[in-house]
Amino acid sequence: MTVHKIENTVGALALALSDSFMLATQELAPELGPAAAALALLGHEPGMPIERLRRALGLSHSGTVRLVDRLVAGGVIERHSSEQDRRAVALHLTKSGEEKCAAILAVRQQRISCALKVLDPHELEALGKIAEKLLKNQVHNLDEAYCVCRLCDPAACVNCPVAAALNESETAQKL
C-alpha cells in the first residue's frame, strides 16, 4: 500500500467515524451543532468559563453566548459566578444536562465500539497505541487539548494521551 493510499484511507476512516458519532450525539443534544460537545465539555469540567468553551468549540464570542443562552433556556446548563474571577461566568450542567451528557457519551461510545468490533484483540491494541501516538502529535497547547477532547469521556481515558502531550509541551516550554 502506498503512503498516499494510507493517508487517503485514514482520512476517509476519520471522516466516517466522526460523521457517525457526531450525528448520533447531535440527535441527543438539545440542538444540532456544537451543543453536544458543549455539554460533554461541561460534564468534564464543571465551571468552565464561556471563553474557554468558545475556544474549544471554535465559535465566535457572540455565537458561544447565544449557544449558552439557548442551553440555559433549555434547562441543561446554568450560569454561576466564577470562584476564580468574579467578572467571569462559570457554566455548570443541570441535572437534565448531566443526563443528556451521559446519553451523548454513551451513544458516542456505542458507535465507536460498533466500528471497532471487526478488529481482533491484537489489532485493537495496536490501533490504540497508534491512536495515542497520533493524538499526542495533535496537541501543543490547552486550547488544542480542549478542542481534541470536546466529545471525550474523561472517565474512560485513564492516562490520557492528550493530557500527557500537554504536560510534555508545557515542560518543553519551561526549558
Side-chain angles (χ1 to χ4, degrees):
M1 194 178 296
T2 68
V3 172
H4 185 68
K5 181 172 182 181
I6 293 168
E7 292 167 347
N8 193 58
T9 303
V10 168
L13 174 62
L15 189 59
L17 289 173
S18 177
D19 286 350
S20 174
F21 73 75
M22 291 299 282
L23 291 172
T25 59
Q26 287 183 16
E27 288 175 4
L28 295 171
E31 62 181 61
L32 296 178
L39 294 179
L41 282 165
L42 294 174
H44 177 61
E45 188 176 316
M48 180 180 284
I50 289 176
E51 179 58 21
R52 165 90 19 92
L53 183 64
R54 179 197 75 73
R55 291 193 315 258
L57 298 176
L59 298 174
S60 67
H61 179 74
S62 60
T64 307
V65 170
R66 286 191 302 270
L67 172 64
V68 168
D69 288 345
R70 291 189 305 271
L71 295 176
V72 168
V76 293
I77 68 170
E78 298 173 326
R79 290 181 174 103
H80 298 282
S81 296
S82 171
E83 293 180 11
Q84 288 77 29
D85 181 354
R86 291 289 177 197
R87 298 168 297 172
V89 173
L91 303 172
H92 295 269
L93 295 176
T94 63
K95 181 70 174 159
S96 174
E98 289 172 358
E99 291 167 0
K100 286 200 178 292
C101 179
I104 286 165
L105 294 178
V107 74
R108 174 188 173 272
Q109 173 63 30
Q110 183 272 332
R111 290 291 177 106
I112 294 169
S113 177
C114 185
L116 298 179
K117 72 181 177 186
V118 300
L119 301 177
D120 68 41
H122 297 294
E123 292 169 327
L124 193 58
E125 182 70 24
L127 178 61
K129 289 179 182 178
I130 291 168
E132 284 190 1
K133 187 174 185 177
L134 291 170
L135 273 175
K136 283 183 176 183
N137 192 48
Q138 297 299 308
V139 177
H140 304 96
N141 60 52
L142 189 58
D143 287 342
E144 290 173 349
Y146 278 105
C147 186
V148 166
C149 294
R150 69 186 180 276
L151 268 171
C152 280
D153 181 355
C157 204
V158 177
N159 298 320
C160 174
V162 171
L166 188 59
N167 289 336
E168 289 169 13
S169 179
E170 289 174 354
T171 300
Q173 290 176 1
K174 290 178 184 176
L175 297 178

PDB file of all heavy atoms in Angstrom, residues 111-148:
ATOM      1  N   ARG A 111     -21.190   3.864  19.146  1.00  0.00           N
ATOM      2  CA  ARG A 111     -20.850   3.987  17.725  1.00  0.00           C
ATOM      3  C   ARG A 111     -19.395   3.605  17.472  1.00  0.00           C
ATOM      4  O   ARG A 111     -19.083   2.917  16.501  1.00  0.00           O
ATOM      5  CB  ARG A 111     -21.110   5.410  17.224  1.00  0.00           C
ATOM      6  CG  ARG A 111     -22.573   5.782  17.144  1.00  0.00           C
ATOM      7  CD  ARG A 111     -23.256   4.984  16.031  1.00  0.00           C
ATOM      8  NE  ARG A 111     -24.666   5.260  15.964  1.00  0.00           N
ATOM      9  CZ  ARG A 111     -25.241   5.995  15.030  1.00  0.00           C
ATOM     10  NH1 ARG A 111     -24.521   6.551  14.078  1.00  0.00           N
ATOM     11  NH2 ARG A 111     -26.538   6.180  15.055  1.00  0.00           N
ATOM     12  N   ILE A 112     -18.508   4.047  18.329  1.00  0.00           N
ATOM     13  CA  ILE A 112     -17.089   3.715  18.156  1.00  0.00           C
ATOM     14  C   ILE A 112     -16.870   2.227  18.394  1.00  0.00           C
ATOM     15  O   ILE A 112     -16.167   1.561  17.626  1.00  0.00           O
ATOM     16  CB  ILE A 112     -16.207   4.578  19.082  1.00  0.00           C
ATOM     17  CG1 ILE A 112     -16.305   6.054  18.652  1.00  0.00           C
ATOM     18  CG2 ILE A 112     -14.754   4.106  19.037  1.00  0.00           C
ATOM     19  CD1 ILE A 112     -15.688   7.023  19.634  1.00  0.00           C
ATOM     20  N   SER A 113     -17.482   1.682  19.425  1.00  0.00           N
ATOM     21  CA  SER A 113     -17.360   0.258  19.720  1.00  0.00           C
ATOM     22  C   SER A 113     -17.845  -0.589  18.551  1.00  0.00           C
ATOM     23  O   SER A 113     -17.204  -1.580  18.176  1.00  0.00           O
ATOM     24  CB  SER A 113     -18.156  -0.077  20.981  1.00  0.00           C
ATOM     25  OG  SER A 113     -18.113  -1.443  21.256  1.00  0.00           O
ATOM     26  N   CYS A 114     -18.954  -0.199  17.971  1.00  0.00           N
ATOM     27  CA  CYS A 114     -19.511  -0.921  16.826  1.00  0.00           C
ATOM     28  C   CYS A 114     -18.532  -0.892  15.648  1.00  0.00           C
ATOM     29  O   CYS A 114     -18.333  -1.896  14.968  1.00  0.00           O
ATOM     30  CB  CYS A 114     -20.847  -0.300  16.445  1.00  0.00           C
ATOM     31  SG  CYS A 114     -21.695  -1.187  15.130  1.00  0.00           S
ATOM     32  N   ALA A 115     -17.911   0.250  15.405  1.00  0.00           N
ATOM     33  CA  ALA A 115     -16.968   0.367  14.294  1.00  0.00           C
ATOM     34  C   ALA A 115     -15.714  -0.481  14.516  1.00  0.00           C
ATOM     35  O   ALA A 115     -15.154  -1.035  13.565  1.00  0.00           O
ATOM     36  CB  ALA A 115     -16.564   1.828  14.096  1.00  0.00           C
ATOM     37  N   LEU A 116     -15.295  -0.606  15.774  1.00  0.00           N
ATOM     38  CA  LEU A 116     -14.049  -1.317  16.078  1.00  0.00           C
ATOM     39  C   LEU A 116     -14.227  -2.817  16.297  1.00  0.00           C
ATOM     40  O   LEU A 116     -13.239  -3.552  16.416  1.00  0.00           O
ATOM     41  CB  LEU A 116     -13.373  -0.695  17.308  1.00  0.00           C
ATOM     42  CG  LEU A 116     -12.952   0.763  17.175  1.00  0.00           C
ATOM     43  CD1 LEU A 116     -12.311   1.250  18.468  1.00  0.00           C
ATOM     44  CD2 LEU A 116     -12.021   0.973  15.988  1.00  0.00           C
ATOM     45  N   LYS A 117     -15.453  -3.298  16.321  1.00  0.00           N
ATOM     46  CA  LYS A 117     -15.687  -4.712  16.630  1.00  0.00           C
ATOM     47  C   LYS A 117     -15.118  -5.659  15.575  1.00  0.00           C
ATOM     48  O   LYS A 117     -14.977  -6.850  15.837  1.00  0.00           O
ATOM     49  CB  LYS A 117     -17.172  -4.979  16.867  1.00  0.00           C
ATOM     50  CG  LYS A 117     -18.035  -4.926  15.649  1.00  0.00           C
ATOM     51  CD  LYS A 117     -19.480  -5.189  15.995  1.00  0.00           C
ATOM     52  CE  LYS A 117     -20.335  -5.046  14.750  1.00  0.00           C
ATOM     53  NZ  LYS A 117     -21.737  -5.163  15.057  1.00  0.00           N
ATOM     54  N   VAL A 118     -14.777  -5.165  14.399  1.00  0.00           N
ATOM     55  CA  VAL A 118     -14.199  -6.016  13.355  1.00  0.00           C
ATOM     56  C   VAL A 118     -12.733  -6.347  13.640  1.00  0.00           C
ATOM     57  O   VAL A 118     -12.166  -7.226  12.993  1.00  0.00           O
ATOM     58  CB  VAL A 118     -14.321  -5.384  11.948  1.00  0.00           C
ATOM     59  CG1 VAL A 118     -15.774  -5.154  11.591  1.00  0.00           C
ATOM     60  CG2 VAL A 118     -13.524  -4.098  11.849  1.00  0.00           C
ATOM     61  N   LEU A 119     -12.134  -5.672  14.607  1.00  0.00           N
ATOM     62  CA  LEU A 119     -10.726  -5.896  14.933  1.00  0.00           C
ATOM     63  C   LEU A 119     -10.583  -6.987  15.988  1.00  0.00           C
ATOM     64  O   LEU A 119     -11.380  -7.070  16.922  1.00  0.00           O
ATOM     65  CB  LEU A 119     -10.088  -4.606  15.459  1.00  0.00           C
ATOM     66  CG  LEU A 119     -10.120  -3.398  14.523  1.00  0.00           C
ATOM     67  CD1 LEU A 119      -9.518  -2.181  15.223  1.00  0.00           C
ATOM     68  CD2 LEU A 119      -9.406  -3.690  13.212  1.00  0.00           C
ATOM     69  N   ASP A 120      -9.542  -7.800  15.840  1.00  0.00           N
ATOM     70  CA  ASP A 120      -9.262  -8.779  16.892  1.00  0.00           C
ATOM     71  C   ASP A 120      -8.515  -8.052  18.019  1.00  0.00           C
ATOM     72  O   ASP A 120      -8.089  -6.902  17.857  1.00  0.00           O
ATOM     73  CB  ASP A 120      -8.485  -9.980  16.338  1.00  0.00           C
ATOM     74  CG  ASP A 120      -7.066  -9.678  15.892  1.00  0.00           C
ATOM     75  OD1 ASP A 120      -6.344  -8.913  16.576  1.00  0.00           O
ATOM     76  OD2 ASP A 120      -6.652 -10.223  14.845  1.00  0.00           O
ATOM     77  N   PRO A 121      -8.347  -8.693  19.183  1.00  0.00           N
ATOM     78  CA  PRO A 121      -7.723  -8.016  20.327  1.00  0.00           C
ATOM     79  C   PRO A 121      -6.326  -7.452  20.034  1.00  0.00           C
ATOM     80  O   PRO A 121      -5.991  -6.366  20.509  1.00  0.00           O
ATOM     81  CB  PRO A 121      -7.670  -9.100  21.406  1.00  0.00           C
ATOM     82  CG  PRO A 121      -8.817  -9.999  21.080  1.00  0.00           C
ATOM     83  CD  PRO A 121      -8.878 -10.014  19.575  1.00  0.00           C
ATOM     84  N   HIS A 122      -5.533  -8.153  19.245  1.00  0.00           N
ATOM     85  CA  HIS A 122      -4.185  -7.656  18.924  1.00  0.00           C
ATOM     86  C   HIS A 122      -4.254  -6.425  18.026  1.00  0.00           C
ATOM     87  O   HIS A 122      -3.508  -5.462  18.220  1.00  0.00           O
ATOM     88  CB  HIS A 122      -3.354  -8.756  18.260  1.00  0.00           C
ATOM     89  CG  HIS A 122      -3.116  -9.943  19.142  1.00  0.00           C
ATOM     90  ND1 HIS A 122      -2.367  -9.871  20.294  1.00  0.00           N
ATOM     91  CD2 HIS A 122      -3.553 -11.227  19.042  1.00  0.00           C
ATOM     92  CE1 HIS A 122      -2.342 -11.067  20.877  1.00  0.00           C
ATOM     93  NE2 HIS A 122      -3.059 -11.911  20.140  1.00  0.00           N
ATOM     94  N   GLU A 123      -5.147  -6.458  17.061  1.00  0.00           N
ATOM     95  CA  GLU A 123      -5.318  -5.295  16.180  1.00  0.00           C
ATOM     96  C   GLU A 123      -5.852  -4.097  16.964  1.00  0.00           C
ATOM     97  O   GLU A 123      -5.405  -2.962  16.748  1.00  0.00           O
ATOM     98  CB  GLU A 123      -6.291  -5.626  15.040  1.00  0.00           C
ATOM     99  CG  GLU A 123      -5.761  -6.632  14.040  1.00  0.00           C
ATOM    100  CD  GLU A 123      -6.822  -7.144  13.093  1.00  0.00           C
ATOM    101  OE1 GLU A 123      -8.002  -7.270  13.499  1.00  0.00           O
ATOM    102  OE2 GLU A 123      -6.461  -7.431  11.924  1.00  0.00           O
ATOM    103  N   LEU A 124      -6.770  -4.348  17.867  1.00  0.00           N
ATOM    104  CA  LEU A 124      -7.334  -3.287  18.681  1.00  0.00           C
ATOM    105  C   LEU A 124      -6.263  -2.639  19.561  1.00  0.00           C
ATOM    106  O   LEU A 124      -6.193  -1.413  19.672  1.00  0.00           O
ATOM    107  CB  LEU A 124      -8.481  -3.835  19.534  1.00  0.00           C
ATOM    108  CG  LEU A 124      -9.382  -2.819  20.210  1.00  0.00           C
ATOM    109  CD1 LEU A 124     -10.021  -1.885  19.206  1.00  0.00           C
ATOM    110  CD2 LEU A 124     -10.452  -3.545  21.014  1.00  0.00           C
ATOM    111  N   GLU A 125      -5.422  -3.453  20.161  1.00  0.00           N
ATOM    112  CA  GLU A 125      -4.320  -2.944  20.989  1.00  0.00           C
ATOM    113  C   GLU A 125      -3.358  -2.109  20.147  1.00  0.00           C
ATOM    114  O   GLU A 125      -2.928  -1.023  20.556  1.00  0.00           O
ATOM    115  CB  GLU A 125      -3.577  -4.110  21.653  1.00  0.00           C
ATOM    116  CG  GLU A 125      -2.451  -3.682  22.572  1.00  0.00           C
ATOM    117  CD  GLU A 125      -2.920  -3.011  23.847  1.00  0.00           C
ATOM    118  OE1 GLU A 125      -4.059  -3.242  24.282  1.00  0.00           O
ATOM    119  OE2 GLU A 125      -2.131  -2.233  24.414  1.00  0.00           O
ATOM    120  N   ALA A 126      -3.013  -2.605  18.954  1.00  0.00           N
ATOM    121  CA  ALA A 126      -2.113  -1.862  18.067  1.00  0.00           C
ATOM    122  C   ALA A 126      -2.742  -0.531  17.648  1.00  0.00           C
ATOM    123  O   ALA A 126      -2.072   0.512  17.643  1.00  0.00           O
ATOM    124  CB  ALA A 126      -1.771  -2.705  16.829  1.00  0.00           C
ATOM    125  N   LEU A 127      -4.027  -0.558  17.304  1.00  0.00           N
ATOM    126  CA  LEU A 127      -4.710   0.670  16.924  1.00  0.00           C
ATOM    127  C   LEU A 127      -4.714   1.664  18.081  1.00  0.00           C
ATOM    128  O   LEU A 127      -4.499   2.863  17.873  1.00  0.00           O
ATOM    129  CB  LEU A 127      -6.148   0.376  16.476  1.00  0.00           C
ATOM    130  CG  LEU A 127      -6.978   1.610  16.109  1.00  0.00           C
ATOM    131  CD1 LEU A 127      -6.358   2.364  14.937  1.00  0.00           C
ATOM    132  CD2 LEU A 127      -8.406   1.204  15.795  1.00  0.00           C
ATOM    133  N   GLY A 128      -4.939   1.174  19.283  1.00  0.00           N
ATOM    134  CA  GLY A 128      -4.934   2.045  20.460  1.00  0.00           C
ATOM    135  C   GLY A 128      -3.595   2.746  20.630  1.00  0.00           C
ATOM    136  O   GLY A 128      -3.548   3.952  20.894  1.00  0.00           O
ATOM    137  N   LYS A 129      -2.510   2.028  20.468  1.00  0.00           N
ATOM    138  CA  LYS A 129      -1.171   2.626  20.605  1.00  0.00           C
ATOM    139  C   LYS A 129      -0.911   3.649  19.495  1.00  0.00           C
ATOM    140  O   LYS A 129      -0.356   4.717  19.741  1.00  0.00           O
ATOM    141  CB  LYS A 129      -0.106   1.532  20.596  1.00  0.00           C
ATOM    142  CG  LYS A 129      -0.108   0.707  21.867  1.00  0.00           C
ATOM    143  CD  LYS A 129       0.928  -0.386  21.824  1.00  0.00           C
ATOM    144  CE  LYS A 129       0.842  -1.218  23.100  1.00  0.00           C
ATOM    145  NZ  LYS A 129       1.788  -2.332  23.103  1.00  0.00           N
ATOM    146  N   ILE A 130      -1.317   3.312  18.293  1.00  0.00           N
ATOM    147  CA  ILE A 130      -1.138   4.236  17.162  1.00  0.00           C
ATOM    148  C   ILE A 130      -1.994   5.485  17.371  1.00  0.00           C
ATOM    149  O   ILE A 130      -1.529   6.615  17.160  1.00  0.00           O
ATOM    150  CB  ILE A 130      -1.485   3.540  15.829  1.00  0.00           C
ATOM    151  CG1 ILE A 130      -0.440   2.463  15.518  1.00  0.00           C
ATOM    152  CG2 ILE A 130      -1.586   4.546  14.691  1.00  0.00           C
ATOM    153  CD1 ILE A 130      -0.835   1.518  14.390  1.00  0.00           C
ATOM    154  N   ALA A 131      -3.237   5.299  17.805  1.00  0.00           N
ATOM    155  CA  ALA A 131      -4.126   6.437  18.040  1.00  0.00           C
ATOM    156  C   ALA A 131      -3.565   7.365  19.111  1.00  0.00           C
ATOM    157  O   ALA A 131      -3.605   8.592  18.966  1.00  0.00           O
ATOM    158  CB  ALA A 131      -5.524   5.953  18.421  1.00  0.00           C
ATOM    159  N   GLU A 132      -3.013   6.795  20.192  1.00  0.00           N
ATOM    160  CA  GLU A 132      -2.405   7.624  21.236  1.00  0.00           C
ATOM    161  C   GLU A 132      -1.234   8.430  20.682  1.00  0.00           C
ATOM    162  O   GLU A 132      -1.097   9.620  20.966  1.00  0.00           O
ATOM    163  CB  GLU A 132      -1.949   6.762  22.415  1.00  0.00           C
ATOM    164  CG  GLU A 132      -3.083   6.322  23.292  1.00  0.00           C
ATOM    165  CD  GLU A 132      -2.623   5.678  24.585  1.00  0.00           C
ATOM    166  OE1 GLU A 132      -1.391   5.586  24.835  1.00  0.00           O
ATOM    167  OE2 GLU A 132      -3.504   5.267  25.362  1.00  0.00           O
ATOM    168  N   LYS A 133      -0.409   7.796  19.874  1.00  0.00           N
ATOM    169  CA  LYS A 133       0.741   8.485  19.292  1.00  0.00           C
ATOM    170  C   LYS A 133       0.285   9.622  18.377  1.00  0.00           C
ATOM    171  O   LYS A 133       0.825  10.726  18.421  1.00  0.00           O
ATOM    172  CB  LYS A 133       1.601   7.481  18.512  1.00  0.00           C
ATOM    173  CG  LYS A 133       2.893   8.053  18.000  1.00  0.00           C
ATOM    174  CD  LYS A 133       3.751   6.961  17.377  1.00  0.00           C
ATOM    175  CE  LYS A 133       5.109   7.503  16.967  1.00  0.00           C
ATOM    176  NZ  LYS A 133       5.971   6.436  16.438  1.00  0.00           N
ATOM    177  N   LEU A 134      -0.726   9.356  17.561  1.00  0.00           N
ATOM    178  CA  LEU A 134      -1.246  10.385  16.662  1.00  0.00           C
ATOM    179  C   LEU A 134      -1.894  11.527  17.438  1.00  0.00           C
ATOM    180  O   LEU A 134      -1.719  12.704  17.098  1.00  0.00           O
ATOM    181  CB  LEU A 134      -2.245   9.772  15.679  1.00  0.00           C
ATOM    182  CG  LEU A 134      -1.648   8.815  14.640  1.00  0.00           C
ATOM    183  CD1 LEU A 134      -2.758   8.096  13.883  1.00  0.00           C
ATOM    184  CD2 LEU A 134      -0.724   9.551  13.681  1.00  0.00           C
ATOM    185  N   LEU A 135      -2.640  11.204  18.489  1.00  0.00           N
ATOM    186  CA  LEU A 135      -3.274  12.242  19.305  1.00  0.00           C
ATOM    187  C   LEU A 135      -2.240  13.141  19.968  1.00  0.00           C
ATOM    188  O   LEU A 135      -2.402  14.363  19.996  1.00  0.00           O
ATOM    189  CB  LEU A 135      -4.163  11.621  20.385  1.00  0.00           C
ATOM    190  CG  LEU A 135      -5.586  11.304  19.982  1.00  0.00           C
ATOM    191  CD1 LEU A 135      -6.304  10.581  21.106  1.00  0.00           C
ATOM    192  CD2 LEU A 135      -6.338  12.557  19.588  1.00  0.00           C
ATOM    193  N   LYS A 136      -1.199  12.549  20.502  1.00  0.00           N
ATOM    194  CA  LYS A 136      -0.144  13.340  21.147  1.00  0.00           C
ATOM    195  C   LYS A 136       0.446  14.361  20.190  1.00  0.00           C
ATOM    196  O   LYS A 136       0.806  15.459  20.583  1.00  0.00           O
ATOM    197  CB  LYS A 136       0.962  12.433  21.686  1.00  0.00           C
ATOM    198  CG  LYS A 136       0.608  11.726  22.962  1.00  0.00           C
ATOM    199  CD  LYS A 136       1.788  10.903  23.446  1.00  0.00           C
ATOM    200  CE  LYS A 136       1.516  10.259  24.772  1.00  0.00           C
ATOM    201  NZ  LYS A 136       2.687   9.510  25.264  1.00  0.00           N
ATOM    202  N   ASN A 137       0.518  14.010  18.927  1.00  0.00           N
ATOM    203  CA  ASN A 137       1.088  14.906  17.923  1.00  0.00           C
ATOM    204  C   ASN A 137       0.140  16.053  17.561  1.00  0.00           C
ATOM    205  O   ASN A 137       0.553  17.019  16.938  1.00  0.00           O
ATOM    206  CB  ASN A 137       1.457  14.109  16.667  1.00  0.00           C
ATOM    207  CG  ASN A 137       2.295  14.894  15.715  1.00  0.00           C
ATOM    208  OD1 ASN A 137       3.274  15.522  16.097  1.00  0.00           O
ATOM    209  ND2 ASN A 137       1.909  14.891  14.453  1.00  0.00           N
ATOM    210  N   GLN A 138      -1.115  15.963  17.945  1.00  0.00           N
ATOM    211  CA  GLN A 138      -2.111  16.985  17.611  1.00  0.00           C
ATOM    212  C   GLN A 138      -2.228  18.083  18.666  1.00  0.00           C
ATOM    213  O   GLN A 138      -2.891  19.084  18.439  1.00  0.00           O
ATOM    214  CB  GLN A 138      -3.492  16.343  17.420  1.00  0.00           C
ATOM    215  CG  GLN A 138      -3.574  15.362  16.286  1.00  0.00           C
ATOM    216  CD  GLN A 138      -3.264  16.023  14.957  1.00  0.00           C
ATOM    217  OE1 GLN A 138      -3.839  17.035  14.599  1.00  0.00           O
ATOM    218  NE2 GLN A 138      -2.313  15.454  14.241  1.00  0.00           N
ATOM    219  N   VAL A 139      -1.597  17.891  19.814  1.00  0.00           N
ATOM    220  CA  VAL A 139      -1.819  18.790  20.945  1.00  0.00           C
ATOM    221  C   VAL A 139      -0.524  19.484  21.349  1.00  0.00           C
ATOM    222  O   VAL A 139       0.454  18.829  21.703  1.00  0.00           O
ATOM    223  CB  VAL A 139      -2.398  18.013  22.144  1.00  0.00           C
ATOM    224  CG1 VAL A 139      -2.574  18.917  23.342  1.00  0.00           C
ATOM    225  CG2 VAL A 139      -3.714  17.368  21.752  1.00  0.00           C
ATOM    226  N   HIS A 140      -0.569  20.825  21.284  1.00  0.00           N
ATOM    227  CA  HIS A 140       0.596  21.618  21.663  1.00  0.00           C
ATOM    228  C   HIS A 140       0.260  22.674  22.707  1.00  0.00           C
ATOM    229  O   HIS A 140       1.147  23.304  23.272  1.00  0.00           O
ATOM    230  CB  HIS A 140       1.202  22.288  20.433  1.00  0.00           C
ATOM    231  CG  HIS A 140       1.546  21.295  19.367  1.00  0.00           C
ATOM    232  ND1 HIS A 140       0.699  21.014  18.319  1.00  0.00           N
ATOM    233  CD2 HIS A 140       2.616  20.488  19.222  1.00  0.00           C
ATOM    234  CE1 HIS A 140       1.242  20.087  17.559  1.00  0.00           C
ATOM    235  NE2 HIS A 140       2.405  19.744  18.078  1.00  0.00           N
ATOM    236  N   ASN A 141      -1.046  22.890  22.947  1.00  0.00           N
ATOM    237  CA  ASN A 141      -1.459  23.875  23.945  1.00  0.00           C
ATOM    238  C   ASN A 141      -2.836  23.491  24.489  1.00  0.00           C
ATOM    239  O   ASN A 141      -3.486  22.577  23.980  1.00  0.00           O
ATOM    240  CB  ASN A 141      -1.453  25.293  23.375  1.00  0.00           C
ATOM    241  CG  ASN A 141      -2.376  25.461  22.188  1.00  0.00           C
ATOM    242  OD1 ASN A 141      -3.552  25.120  22.257  1.00  0.00           O
ATOM    243  ND2 ASN A 141      -1.848  25.984  21.091  1.00  0.00           N
ATOM    244  N   LEU A 142      -3.257  24.218  25.501  1.00  0.00           N
ATOM    245  CA  LEU A 142      -4.503  23.892  26.191  1.00  0.00           C
ATOM    246  C   LEU A 142      -5.718  24.014  25.274  1.00  0.00           C
ATOM    247  O   LEU A 142      -6.633  23.184  25.332  1.00  0.00           O
ATOM    248  CB  LEU A 142      -4.665  24.798  27.413  1.00  0.00           C
ATOM    249  CG  LEU A 142      -5.787  24.466  28.383  1.00  0.00           C
ATOM    250  CD1 LEU A 142      -5.643  23.044  28.927  1.00  0.00           C
ATOM    251  CD2 LEU A 142      -5.817  25.468  29.522  1.00  0.00           C
ATOM    252  N   ASP A 143      -5.746  25.026  24.415  1.00  0.00           N
ATOM    253  CA  ASP A 143      -6.876  25.179  23.505  1.00  0.00           C
ATOM    254  C   ASP A 143      -7.007  23.975  22.577  1.00  0.00           C
ATOM    255  O   ASP A 143      -8.113  23.481  22.331  1.00  0.00           O
ATOM    256  CB  ASP A 143      -6.745  26.460  22.667  1.00  0.00           C
ATOM    257  CG  ASP A 143      -6.996  27.712  23.479  1.00  0.00           C
ATOM    258  OD1 ASP A 143      -7.590  27.616  24.574  1.00  0.00           O
ATOM    259  OD2 ASP A 143      -6.602  28.803  23.015  1.00  0.00           O
ATOM    260  N   GLU A 144      -5.889  23.495  22.044  1.00  0.00           N
ATOM    261  CA  GLU A 144      -5.925  22.313  21.177  1.00  0.00           C
ATOM    262  C   GLU A 144      -6.393  21.087  21.954  1.00  0.00           C
ATOM    263  O   GLU A 144      -7.134  20.258  21.417  1.00  0.00           O
ATOM    264  CB  GLU A 144      -4.556  22.055  20.559  1.00  0.00           C
ATOM    265  CG  GLU A 144      -4.148  23.082  19.537  1.00  0.00           C
ATOM    266  CD  GLU A 144      -2.721  22.921  19.048  1.00  0.00           C
ATOM    267  OE1 GLU A 144      -1.940  22.133  19.633  1.00  0.00           O
ATOM    268  OE2 GLU A 144      -2.378  23.598  18.073  1.00  0.00           O
ATOM    269  N   ALA A 145      -5.974  20.981  23.209  1.00  0.00           N
ATOM    270  CA  ALA A 145      -6.391  19.844  24.035  1.00  0.00           C
ATOM    271  C   ALA A 145      -7.912  19.839  24.233  1.00  0.00           C
ATOM    272  O   ALA A 145      -8.556  18.809  24.077  1.00  0.00           O
ATOM    273  CB  ALA A 145      -5.680  19.881  25.387  1.00  0.00           C
ATOM    274  N   TYR A 146      -8.471  20.989  24.581  1.00  0.00           N
ATOM    275  CA  TYR A 146      -9.925  21.062  24.756  1.00  0.00           C
ATOM    276  C   TYR A 146     -10.651  20.766  23.452  1.00  0.00           C
ATOM    277  O   TYR A 146     -11.688  20.106  23.441  1.00  0.00           O
ATOM    278  CB  TYR A 146     -10.346  22.433  25.287  1.00  0.00           C
ATOM    279  CG  TYR A 146     -10.196  22.550  26.780  1.00  0.00           C
ATOM    280  CD1 TYR A 146      -9.160  23.287  27.336  1.00  0.00           C
ATOM    281  CD2 TYR A 146     -11.088  21.918  27.634  1.00  0.00           C
ATOM    282  CE1 TYR A 146      -9.016  23.391  28.710  1.00  0.00           C
ATOM    283  CE2 TYR A 146     -10.947  22.017  29.004  1.00  0.00           C
ATOM    284  CZ  TYR A 146      -9.915  22.750  29.534  1.00  0.00           C
ATOM    285  OH  TYR A 146      -9.772  22.834  30.890  1.00  0.00           O
ATOM    286  N   CYS A 147     -10.117  21.261  22.356  1.00  0.00           N
ATOM    287  CA  CYS A 147     -10.744  21.028  21.057  1.00  0.00           C
ATOM    288  C   CYS A 147     -10.733  19.541  20.709  1.00  0.00           C
ATOM    289  O   CYS A 147     -11.759  18.980  20.321  1.00  0.00           O
ATOM    290  CB  CYS A 147     -10.023  21.842  19.992  1.00  0.00           C
ATOM    291  SG  CYS A 147     -10.813  21.760  18.381  1.00  0.00           S
ATOM    292  N   VAL A 148      -9.598  18.894  20.870  1.00  0.00           N
ATOM    293  CA  VAL A 148      -9.475  17.462  20.561  1.00  0.00           C
ATOM    294  C   VAL A 148     -10.371  16.629  21.471  1.00  0.00           C
ATOM    295  O   VAL A 148     -10.986  15.661  21.022  1.00  0.00           O
ATOM    296  CB  VAL A 148      -7.995  17.011  20.678  1.00  0.00           C
ATOM    297  CG1 VAL A 148      -7.871  15.504  20.694  1.00  0.00           C
ATOM    298  CG2 VAL A 148      -7.170  17.597  19.541  1.00  0.00           C
TER     299      VAL A 148
END
